[in-house]
Amino acid sequence: MTRVHVRAPGKVNLSLRVAALQDDGYHPLVTTFQAVSLFEDVEVGDTEPGAGISISVTGPHADVVPTDSSNLAWQAAELVAAAAGVDPDVHIEITKGVPVGGGMAGGSADGAATLVACNALWSAGLSQTDLSDLAARLGSDVPFGLVGNTAVGTGRGHLLTPAMSRADLHWVFAVRDEGLSTGAVYRAYDEHVGGPAHVSPDDDAALLSALRSGDAAAVGAALHNDLQAASLALAPHLRRTLELATEAGALGALISGSGPTVAALAGDLRHAHAIAAAWNAAGVADQVHLATGPVHGARIVTHVGPERHP
């Protein structure tokens, strides 16, 4: 039996700039992603011919993760099987390490990891470009799960340009069990803010310069999220989480993406623990996670068994 284990990271949005809603129903975005050391582990293995796709999930809040065709890992396996010309007979085991429903792209990481794993499992021979094309079909955050590190996303966030980062950043994440609807946040943004007609990577020149120079304090000062006001309007309790991070001396703090996760940038590991302690003492988070960034994208950890050619 052939088994392939792939690990893919979650992400934080260092900046998210959102233009006004377009006639096609989408908001043009410019976002700077950073992959962080909270990982999804996906293991795929051969099953009996005709068995089809099956998924099992373990880890925190695994019970709320779908195990049917709505799961991006399932859809990723179907796409690779079609490209390889094989039947999608595979069992997918997902071990959650990225908070569920926290806006940190755990589901997208599962999709990215499954693309890489099934490509190896079936010896499909798909290039990185091929996998990126399939990833974009799965969702806007999935292509970044493949490449990791730090990148600027444009379009719907799926068109990626690598960004140099000499800074090893220490992050603390305050996670809530009760999520925020991304759709509701965008509707609130449209209603109360509206957004500019255009956004550009040039808007984040200070952030990109700080990343290149490795200046963590300057990175913290340049963190930005156009959706933050809309998220706070829907979840005002997150304001206290942000305030506590600032009081604990965070270099910067923001709601990541549409929320509800609050990300705080610390000066070092000891400082990260101090911010985490402040949040835990105040009871403003259901989970607190420490992580570093940037880290690599989806990578094969182990590949056991004979290669198979379609």
Side-chain angles (χ1 to χ4, degrees):
M1 186 177 190
T2 303
R3 300 185 68 83
V4 182
H5 172 196
V6 173
R7 180 169 292 157
K11 59 85 179 171
V12 60
N13 295 81
L14 308 185
S15 177
L16 176 59
R17 297 186 183 272
V18 183
L21 183 66
Q22 304 295 295
D23 292 340
D24 62 3
Y26 290 100
H27 296 80
L29 306 177
V30 173
T31 185
T32 302
F33 295 112
Q34 182 162 97
V36 297
S37 59
L38 298 174
F39 295 99
E40 298 285 282
D41 284 283
V42 174
E43 188 169 296
V44 302
D46 284 322
T47 58
E48 294 296 322
I53 299 171
S54 58
I55 295 178
S56 59
V57 185
T58 58
H61 302 288
D63 57 308
V64 301
V65 178
T67 57
D68 57 16
S69 60
S70 64
N71 191 304
L72 289 178
W74 183 301
Q75 297 170 34
E78 288 183 325
L79 288 177
V80 176
V86 302
D87 293 328
D89 297 324
V90 62
H91 180 66
I92 304 168
E93 297 179 9
I94 299 171
T95 303
K96 302 295 295 181
V98 177
V100 175
M104 298 184 70
S108 294
D110 293 337
T114 304
L115 289 173
V116 173
C118 287
N119 187 40
L121 179 72
W122 294 320
S123 299
L126 299 175
S127 68
Q128 188 71 14
T129 299
D130 295 332
L131 292 174
S132 295
D133 290 343
L134 295 181
R137 293 170 58 182
L138 291 172
S140 299
D141 288 341
V142 182
F144 180 70
L146 290 175
V147 301
N149 294 299
T150 307
V152 176
T154 55
R156 297 194 301 276
H158 66 295
L159 302 173
L160 300 175
T161 302
M164 181 183 295
S165 178
R166 292 191 175 94
D168 293 323
L169 302 180
H170 292 269
W171 293 100
V172 195
F173 298 104
V175 180
R176 291 278 185 167
D177 290 343
E178 184 177 353
L180 270 175
S181 164
T182 299
V185 172
Y186 271 95
R187 286 192 293 274
Y189 178 74
D190 292 335
E191 181 178 350
H192 299 293
V193 181
H198 304 284
V199 288
S200 165
D202 292 340
D203 297 333
D204 284 320
L207 172 63
L208 297 174
S209 175
L211 289 167
R212 286 193 300 270
S213 66
D215 187 340
V219 171
L223 298 176
H224 179 84
N225 183 2
D226 278 346
L227 294 181
Q228 183 158 303
S231 296
L232 288 172
L234 296 174
H237 56 275
L238 297 178
R239 193 178 304 278
R240 182 56 181 155
T241 312
L242 291 164
E243 292 170 349
L244 284 167
T246 300
E247 292 168 8
L251 303 180
L254 80 171
I255 294 174
S256 182
S258 60
T261 297
V262 172
L265 182 59
D268 53 29
L269 180 59
R270 179 177 293 184
H271 187 199
H273 279 289
I275 295 170
W279 279 343
N280 282 323
V284 297
D286 296 303
Q287 308 165 54
V288 176
H289 297 273
L290 275 64
T292 58
V295 299
H296 59 74
R299 295 290 186 274
I300 294 175
V301 179
T302 58
H303 183 165
V304 179
E307 290 192 358
R308 188 177 80 182
H309 298 277

mmCIF file of all heavy atoms in Angstrom, residues 38 60-61 97 99 104 171-177 241 244-245 261-264 271-291:
data_model
loop_
_atom_site.group_PDB
_atom_site.id
_atom_site.type_symbol
_atom_site.label_atom_id
_atom_site.label_comp_id
_atom_site.label_asym_id
_atom_site.label_seq_id
_atom_site.Cartn_x
_atom_site.Cartn_y
_atom_site.Cartn_z
ATOM 1 N N LEU A 38 1.807 26.812 12.199
ATOM 2 C CA LEU A 38 0.666 25.992 12.599
ATOM 3 C C LEU A 38 0.305 25.194 11.356
ATOM 4 O O LEU A 38 -0.016 25.778 10.322
ATOM 5 C CB LEU A 38 -0.513 26.856 13.049
ATOM 6 C CG LEU A 38 -0.255 27.745 14.269
ATOM 7 C CD1 LEU A 38 -1.457 28.653 14.515
ATOM 8 C CD2 LEU A 38 0.041 26.909 15.511
ATOM 9 N N PRO A 60 -8.222 19.197 17.244
ATOM 10 C CA PRO A 60 -9.200 20.087 17.874
ATOM 11 C C PRO A 60 -10.324 20.477 16.910
ATOM 12 O O PRO A 60 -10.074 20.872 15.775
ATOM 13 C CB PRO A 60 -8.352 21.311 18.263
ATOM 14 C CG PRO A 60 -6.951 20.790 18.373
ATOM 15 C CD PRO A 60 -6.841 19.721 17.344
ATOM 16 N N HIS A 61 -11.565 20.325 17.394
ATOM 17 C CA HIS A 61 -12.768 20.692 16.642
ATOM 18 C C HIS A 61 -12.903 19.913 15.329
ATOM 19 O O HIS A 61 -13.522 20.389 14.370
ATOM 20 C CB HIS A 61 -12.811 22.197 16.377
ATOM 21 C CG HIS A 61 -12.779 23.028 17.624
ATOM 22 N ND1 HIS A 61 -13.853 23.109 18.482
ATOM 23 C CD2 HIS A 61 -11.791 23.783 18.174
ATOM 24 C CE1 HIS A 61 -13.533 23.891 19.503
ATOM 25 N NE2 HIS A 61 -12.285 24.304 19.345
ATOM 26 N N GLY A 97 -4.065 21.151 12.729
ATOM 27 C CA GLY A 97 -3.156 21.927 13.557
ATOM 28 C C GLY A 97 -3.422 23.412 13.442
ATOM 29 O O GLY A 97 -2.963 24.197 14.270
ATOM 30 N N PRO A 99 -6.218 26.360 13.631
ATOM 31 C CA PRO A 99 -7.537 26.496 14.257
ATOM 32 C C PRO A 99 -8.673 26.444 13.238
ATOM 33 O O PRO A 99 -8.606 27.064 12.167
ATOM 34 C CB PRO A 99 -7.461 27.879 14.923
ATOM 35 C CG PRO A 99 -6.007 28.078 15.195
ATOM 36 C CD PRO A 99 -5.291 27.439 14.046
ATOM 37 N N MET A 104 -7.604 31.280 9.242
ATOM 38 C CA MET A 104 -6.178 31.075 9.010
ATOM 39 C C MET A 104 -5.917 30.053 7.913
ATOM 40 O O MET A 104 -4.822 29.540 7.761
ATOM 41 C CB MET A 104 -5.484 30.668 10.305
ATOM 42 C CG MET A 104 -5.579 31.735 11.390
ATOM 43 S SD MET A 104 -4.674 31.314 12.891
ATOM 44 C CE MET A 104 -2.979 31.456 12.301
ATOM 45 N N TRP A 171 4.592 35.304 16.333
ATOM 46 C CA TRP A 171 3.175 35.624 16.329
ATOM 47 C C TRP A 171 2.452 34.982 17.515
ATOM 48 O O TRP A 171 2.822 33.896 17.965
ATOM 49 C CB TRP A 171 2.512 35.121 15.041
ATOM 50 C CG TRP A 171 2.981 35.828 13.818
ATOM 51 C CD1 TRP A 171 3.905 35.402 12.908
ATOM 52 C CD2 TRP A 171 2.545 37.109 13.363
ATOM 53 N NE1 TRP A 171 4.073 36.334 11.920
ATOM 54 C CE2 TRP A 171 3.257 37.390 12.172
ATOM 55 C CE3 TRP A 171 1.625 38.041 13.841
ATOM 56 C CZ2 TRP A 171 3.070 38.573 11.462
ATOM 57 C CZ3 TRP A 171 1.441 39.219 13.144
ATOM 58 C CH2 TRP A 171 2.155 39.474 11.968
ATOM 59 N N VAL A 172 1.408 35.664 17.970
ATOM 60 C CA VAL A 172 0.483 35.111 18.957
ATOM 61 C C VAL A 172 -0.914 35.283 18.386
ATOM 62 O O VAL A 172 -1.262 36.370 17.905
ATOM 63 C CB VAL A 172 0.592 35.827 20.320
ATOM 64 C CG1 VAL A 172 -0.107 35.004 21.408
ATOM 65 C CG2 VAL A 172 2.042 36.095 20.700
ATOM 66 N N PHE A 173 -1.710 34.215 18.437
ATOM 67 C CA PHE A 173 -3.047 34.243 17.848
ATOM 68 C C PHE A 173 -4.097 33.967 18.919
ATOM 69 O O PHE A 173 -4.027 32.949 19.623
ATOM 70 C CB PHE A 173 -3.167 33.206 16.733
ATOM 71 C CG PHE A 173 -2.233 33.447 15.584
ATOM 72 C CD1 PHE A 173 -1.095 32.678 15.431
ATOM 73 C CD2 PHE A 173 -2.481 34.464 14.670
ATOM 74 C CE1 PHE A 173 -0.214 32.907 14.385
ATOM 75 C CE2 PHE A 173 -1.616 34.701 13.619
ATOM 76 C CZ PHE A 173 -0.477 33.918 13.475
ATOM 77 N N ALA A 174 -5.062 34.869 19.033
ATOM 78 C CA ALA A 174 -6.214 34.675 19.907
ATOM 79 C C ALA A 174 -7.367 34.165 19.050
ATOM 80 O O ALA A 174 -7.816 34.864 18.132
ATOM 81 C CB ALA A 174 -6.597 35.985 20.593
ATOM 82 N N VAL A 175 -7.820 32.961 19.339
ATOM 83 C CA VAL A 175 -8.815 32.288 18.507
ATOM 84 C C VAL A 175 -10.111 32.138 19.293
ATOM 85 O O VAL A 175 -10.112 31.787 20.482
ATOM 86 C CB VAL A 175 -8.301 30.905 18.048
ATOM 87 C CG1 VAL A 175 -9.337 30.198 17.180
ATOM 88 C CG2 VAL A 175 -6.981 31.062 17.291
ATOM 89 N N ARG A 176 -11.206 32.388 18.627
ATOM 90 C CA ARG A 176 -12.536 32.207 19.206
ATOM 91 C C ARG A 176 -13.216 30.986 18.583
ATOM 92 O O ARG A 176 -13.109 30.756 17.378
ATOM 93 C CB ARG A 176 -13.397 33.438 18.930
ATOM 94 C CG ARG A 176 -12.958 34.678 19.685
ATOM 95 C CD ARG A 176 -13.510 34.667 21.097
ATOM 96 N NE ARG A 176 -13.207 35.907 21.796
ATOM 97 C CZ ARG A 176 -13.782 36.256 22.948
ATOM 98 N NH1 ARG A 176 -14.674 35.462 23.498
ATOM 99 N NH2 ARG A 176 -13.455 37.381 23.542
ATOM 100 N N ASP A 177 -13.911 30.228 19.419
ATOM 101 C CA ASP A 177 -14.645 29.071 18.893
ATOM 102 C C ASP A 177 -15.788 29.510 17.988
ATOM 103 O O ASP A 177 -16.112 28.835 17.006
ATOM 104 C CB ASP A 177 -15.199 28.219 20.045
ATOM 105 C CG ASP A 177 -14.105 27.482 20.804
ATOM 106 O OD1 ASP A 177 -12.978 27.364 20.255
ATOM 107 O OD2 ASP A 177 -14.365 27.041 21.933
ATOM 108 N N THR A 241 -9.517 42.451 22.882
ATOM 109 C CA THR A 241 -8.385 41.567 22.579
ATOM 110 C C THR A 241 -7.253 42.373 21.948
ATOM 111 O O THR A 241 -6.078 42.204 22.297
ATOM 112 C CB THR A 241 -8.832 40.442 21.629
ATOM 113 O OG1 THR A 241 -10.034 39.852 22.117
ATOM 114 C CG2 THR A 241 -7.754 39.369 21.517
ATOM 115 N N LEU A 244 -5.613 44.666 24.658
ATOM 116 C CA LEU A 244 -4.728 43.941 25.569
ATOM 117 C C LEU A 244 -3.379 43.648 24.923
ATOM 118 O O LEU A 244 -2.338 43.704 25.584
ATOM 119 C CB LEU A 244 -5.394 42.640 26.023
ATOM 120 C CG LEU A 244 -6.494 42.775 27.069
ATOM 121 C CD1 LEU A 244 -7.278 41.473 27.182
ATOM 122 C CD2 LEU A 244 -5.887 43.155 28.429
ATOM 123 N N ALA A 245 -3.404 43.331 23.628
ATOM 124 C CA ALA A 245 -2.140 43.091 22.929
ATOM 125 C C ALA A 245 -1.289 44.353 22.921
ATOM 126 O O ALA A 245 -0.075 44.308 23.172
ATOM 127 C CB ALA A 245 -2.415 42.617 21.507
ATOM 128 N N THR A 261 -10.013 35.665 14.339
ATOM 129 C CA THR A 261 -8.695 35.542 14.956
ATOM 130 C C THR A 261 -8.007 36.896 15.030
ATOM 131 O O THR A 261 -7.979 37.644 14.053
ATOM 132 C CB THR A 261 -7.826 34.558 14.164
ATOM 133 O OG1 THR A 261 -8.435 33.268 14.214
ATOM 134 C CG2 THR A 261 -6.428 34.466 14.742
ATOM 135 N N VAL A 262 -7.444 37.195 16.192
ATOM 136 C CA VAL A 262 -6.619 38.379 16.375
ATOM 137 C C VAL A 262 -5.166 37.939 16.394
ATOM 138 O O VAL A 262 -4.792 37.009 17.120
ATOM 139 C CB VAL A 262 -6.972 39.126 17.681
ATOM 140 C CG1 VAL A 262 -5.978 40.243 17.952
ATOM 141 C CG2 VAL A 262 -8.390 39.691 17.595
ATOM 142 N N ALA A 263 -4.344 38.593 15.581
ATOM 143 C CA ALA A 263 -2.923 38.285 15.489
ATOM 144 C C ALA A 263 -2.128 39.416 16.125
ATOM 145 O O ALA A 263 -2.369 40.593 15.835
ATOM 146 C CB ALA A 263 -2.507 38.112 14.029
ATOM 147 N N ALA A 264 -1.185 39.059 16.992
ATOM 148 C CA ALA A 264 -0.300 40.041 17.613
ATOM 149 C C ALA A 264 1.135 39.680 17.282
ATOM 150 O O ALA A 264 1.517 38.504 17.337
ATOM 151 C CB ALA A 264 -0.502 40.083 19.120
ATOM 152 N N HIS A 271 8.469 37.571 24.758
ATOM 153 C CA HIS A 271 7.414 38.570 24.614
ATOM 154 C C HIS A 271 6.113 37.916 24.138
ATOM 155 O O HIS A 271 5.017 38.279 24.590
ATOM 156 C CB HIS A 271 7.871 39.649 23.629
ATOM 157 C CG HIS A 271 6.947 40.813 23.535
ATOM 158 N ND1 HIS A 271 6.950 41.693 22.473
ATOM 159 C CD2 HIS A 271 5.959 41.260 24.367
ATOM 160 C CE1 HIS A 271 6.029 42.611 22.656
ATOM 161 N NE2 HIS A 271 5.410 42.380 23.792
ATOM 162 N N ALA A 272 6.225 36.947 23.213
ATOM 163 C CA ALA A 272 5.034 36.235 22.740
ATOM 164 C C ALA A 272 4.323 35.548 23.895
ATOM 165 O O ALA A 272 3.088 35.583 23.997
ATOM 166 C CB ALA A 272 5.424 35.228 21.663
ATOM 167 N N HIS A 273 5.090 34.921 24.777
ATOM 168 C CA HIS A 273 4.471 34.274 25.942
ATOM 169 C C HIS A 273 3.794 35.292 26.852
ATOM 170 O O HIS A 273 2.737 35.006 27.441
ATOM 171 C CB HIS A 273 5.529 33.484 26.720
ATOM 172 C CG HIS A 273 5.841 32.137 26.139
ATOM 173 N ND1 HIS A 273 4.960 31.080 26.194
ATOM 174 C CD2 HIS A 273 6.935 31.687 25.476
ATOM 175 C CE1 HIS A 273 5.491 30.022 25.603
ATOM 176 N NE2 HIS A 273 6.692 30.356 25.157
ATOM 177 N N ALA A 274 4.366 36.496 26.967
ATOM 178 C CA ALA A 274 3.757 37.537 27.805
ATOM 179 C C ALA A 274 2.418 37.986 27.233
ATOM 180 O O ALA A 274 1.446 38.196 27.977
ATOM 181 C CB ALA A 274 4.718 38.713 27.941
ATOM 182 N N ILE A 275 2.345 38.157 25.921
ATOM 183 C CA ILE A 275 1.077 38.541 25.286
ATOM 184 C C ILE A 275 0.054 37.428 25.473
ATOM 185 O O ILE A 275 -1.118 37.685 25.808
ATOM 186 C CB ILE A 275 1.293 38.846 23.793
ATOM 187 C CG1 ILE A 275 2.199 40.065 23.625
ATOM 188 C CG2 ILE A 275 -0.049 39.075 23.090
ATOM 189 C CD1 ILE A 275 2.663 40.301 22.192
ATOM 190 N N ALA A 276 0.482 36.180 25.268
ATOM 191 C CA ALA A 276 -0.428 35.046 25.460
ATOM 192 C C ALA A 276 -0.953 35.003 26.892
ATOM 193 O O ALA A 276 -2.147 34.743 27.123
ATOM 194 C CB ALA A 276 0.299 33.745 25.114
ATOM 195 N N ALA A 277 -0.082 35.267 27.860
ATOM 196 C CA ALA A 277 -0.501 35.253 29.262
ATOM 197 C C ALA A 277 -1.526 36.340 29.540
ATOM 198 O O ALA A 277 -2.495 36.126 30.286
ATOM 199 C CB ALA A 277 0.720 35.438 30.166
ATOM 200 N N ALA A 278 -1.351 37.520 28.934
ATOM 201 C CA ALA A 278 -2.316 38.607 29.129
ATOM 202 C C ALA A 278 -3.680 38.224 28.577
ATOM 203 O O ALA A 278 -4.722 38.480 29.208
ATOM 204 C CB ALA A 278 -1.802 39.884 28.461
ATOM 205 N N TRP A 279 -3.694 37.612 27.412
ATOM 206 C CA TRP A 279 -4.967 37.177 26.832
ATOM 207 C C TRP A 279 -5.621 36.089 27.670
ATOM 208 O O TRP A 279 -6.826 36.116 27.913
ATOM 209 C CB TRP A 279 -4.738 36.681 25.399
ATOM 210 C CG TRP A 279 -4.659 37.766 24.376
ATOM 211 C CD1 TRP A 279 -5.067 39.059 24.501
ATOM 212 C CD2 TRP A 279 -4.131 37.643 23.048
ATOM 213 N NE1 TRP A 279 -4.843 39.756 23.332
ATOM 214 C CE2 TRP A 279 -4.270 38.916 22.423
ATOM 215 C CE3 TRP A 279 -3.566 36.595 22.318
ATOM 216 C CZ2 TRP A 279 -3.862 39.152 21.114
ATOM 217 C CZ3 TRP A 279 -3.153 36.828 21.019
ATOM 218 C CH2 TRP A 279 -3.299 38.096 20.414
ATOM 219 N N ASN A 280 -4.821 35.123 28.093
ATOM 220 C CA ASN A 280 -5.378 34.020 28.885
ATOM 221 C C ASN A 280 -5.926 34.524 30.216
ATOM 222 O O ASN A 280 -6.996 34.087 30.667
ATOM 223 C CB ASN A 280 -4.305 32.952 29.121
ATOM 224 C CG ASN A 280 -4.088 32.062 27.903
ATOM 225 O OD1 ASN A 280 -5.024 31.722 27.198
ATOM 226 N ND2 ASN A 280 -2.847 31.670 27.664
ATOM 227 N N ALA A 281 -5.208 35.444 30.854
ATOM 228 C CA ALA A 281 -5.657 35.970 32.144
ATOM 229 C C ALA A 281 -6.973 36.725 32.013
ATOM 230 O O ALA A 281 -7.826 36.687 32.915
ATOM 231 C CB ALA A 281 -4.587 36.881 32.734
ATOM 232 N N ALA A 282 -7.157 37.398 30.893
ATOM 233 C CA ALA A 282 -8.376 38.178 30.680
ATOM 234 C C ALA A 282 -9.515 37.343 30.113
ATOM 235 O O ALA A 282 -10.658 37.824 30.052
ATOM 236 C CB ALA A 282 -8.080 39.345 29.743
ATOM 237 N N GLY A 283 -9.234 36.129 29.690
ATOM 238 C CA GLY A 283 -10.280 35.259 29.153
ATOM 239 C C GLY A 283 -10.879 35.740 27.849
ATOM 240 O O GLY A 283 -12.077 35.514 27.600
ATOM 241 N N VAL A 284 -10.066 36.389 27.016
ATOM 242 C CA VAL A 284 -10.597 36.953 25.773
ATOM 243 C C VAL A 284 -10.464 35.999 24.584
ATOM 244 O O VAL A 284 -10.839 36.369 23.463
ATOM 245 C CB VAL A 284 -9.905 38.293 25.429
ATOM 246 C CG1 VAL A 284 -10.194 39.333 26.503
ATOM 247 C CG2 VAL A 284 -8.400 38.097 25.247
ATOM 248 N N ALA A 285 -9.934 34.810 24.817
ATOM 249 C CA ALA A 285 -9.757 33.857 23.720
ATOM 250 C C ALA A 285 -10.101 32.457 24.200
ATOM 251 O O ALA A 285 -9.887 32.116 25.364
ATOM 252 C CB ALA A 285 -8.320 33.891 23.201
ATOM 253 N N ASP A 286 -10.656 31.668 23.296
ATOM 254 C CA ASP A 286 -10.912 30.258 23.605
ATOM 255 C C ASP A 286 -9.654 29.414 23.422
ATOM 256 O O ASP A 286 -9.495 28.385 24.066
ATOM 257 C CB ASP A 286 -12.035 29.722 22.710
ATOM 258 C CG ASP A 286 -13.356 30.413 22.982
ATOM 259 O OD1 ASP A 286 -13.810 30.378 24.139
ATOM 260 O OD2 ASP A 286 -13.928 31.017 22.061
ATOM 261 N N GLN A 287 -8.782 29.850 22.526
ATOM 262 C CA GLN A 287 -7.489 29.206 22.330
ATOM 263 C C GLN A 287 -6.469 30.306 22.060
ATOM 264 O O GLN A 287 -6.789 31.311 21.419
ATOM 265 C CB GLN A 287 -7.493 28.272 21.130
ATOM 266 C CG GLN A 287 -8.590 27.233 21.076
ATOM 267 C CD GLN A 287 -8.693 26.646 19.672
ATOM 268 O OE1 GLN A 287 -7.711 26.164 19.103
ATOM 269 N NE2 GLN A 287 -9.883 26.704 19.094
ATOM 270 N N VAL A 288 -5.259 30.105 22.537
ATOM 271 C CA VAL A 288 -4.147 31.006 22.214
ATOM 272 C C VAL A 288 -3.014 30.159 21.643
ATOM 273 O O VAL A 288 -2.628 29.145 22.234
ATOM 274 C CB VAL A 288 -3.659 31.787 23.440
ATOM 275 C CG1 VAL A 288 -2.446 32.642 23.081
ATOM 276 C CG2 VAL A 288 -4.779 32.672 23.989
ATOM 277 N N HIS A 289 -2.505 30.565 20.490
ATOM 278 C CA HIS A 289 -1.452 29.805 19.815
ATOM 279 C C HIS A 289 -0.249 30.711 19.562
ATOM 280 O O HIS A 289 -0.408 31.866 19.172
ATOM 281 C CB HIS A 289 -1.941 29.267 18.470
ATOM 282 C CG HIS A 289 -3.071 28.297 18.575
ATOM 283 N ND1 HIS A 289 -2.884 26.937 18.758
ATOM 284 C CD2 HIS A 289 -4.409 28.486 18.524
ATOM 285 C CE1 HIS A 289 -4.053 26.337 18.806
ATOM 286 N NE2 HIS A 289 -5.003 27.250 18.674
ATOM 287 N N LEU A 290 0.941 30.161 19.757
ATOM 288 C CA LEU A 290 2.173 30.827 19.388
ATOM 289 C C LEU A 290 2.706 30.190 18.112
ATOM 290 O O LEU A 290 2.605 28.978 17.914
ATOM 291 C CB LEU A 290 3.225 30.696 20.489
ATOM 292 C CG LEU A 290 3.190 31.726 21.637
ATOM 293 C CD1 LEU A 290 1.900 31.606 22.437
ATOM 294 C CD2 LEU A 290 4.406 31.544 22.548
ATOM 295 N N ALA A 291 3.267 31.020 17.237
ATOM 296 C CA ALA A 291 3.813 30.502 15.981
ATOM 297 C C ALA A 291 4.884 31.461 15.484
ATOM 298 O O ALA A 291 4.990 32.601 15.937
ATOM 299 C CB ALA A 291 2.713 30.350 14.928
#
